[in-house]
């Protein structure tokens, strides 16, 4: 939900653009926010699984 609010409300408001208007700029911004969130989630999952394997291997 934070990605939607950031792409549709916070960023356009900071740039002086209309808020909650779906156009090419908001569409690309929302897509970039989604990709960033996906990559961040994947990185977190990989790091968490590596840390979990390392912890169980040394015990």
């Amino acid at each position: 939900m934070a990605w939607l609010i950031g792409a549709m409300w916070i960023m356009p408001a900071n740039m002086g653009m209309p808020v909650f208007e779906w156009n090419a700029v908001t569409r690309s911004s929302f897509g970039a926010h989604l990709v960033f969130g996906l990559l961040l989630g994947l990185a977190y999952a990989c790091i968490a699984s590596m840390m979990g394997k390392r912890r169980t291997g040394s015990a």
Side-chain angles (χ1 to χ4, degrees):
M1 187 66 167
W3 303 110
L4 181 63
I5 291 171
M8 295 294 292
W9 180 51
I10 296 171
M11 194 185 82
N14 284 338
M15 296 175 64
M17 297 170 57
V19 178
F20 293 112
E21 183 177 300
W22 191 254
N23 55 30
V25 174
T26 55
R27 189 171 33 251
S28 66
S29 174
F30 183 59
H33 279 90
L34 287 177
V35 169
F36 175 75
L38 177 68
L39 292 175
L40 184 63
L42 288 173
Y44 177 81
C46 289
I47 291 170
S49 70
M50 287 171 49
M51 295 299 284
K53 287 180 185 175
R54 189 176 306 154
R55 212 176 302 143
T56 57
S58 64

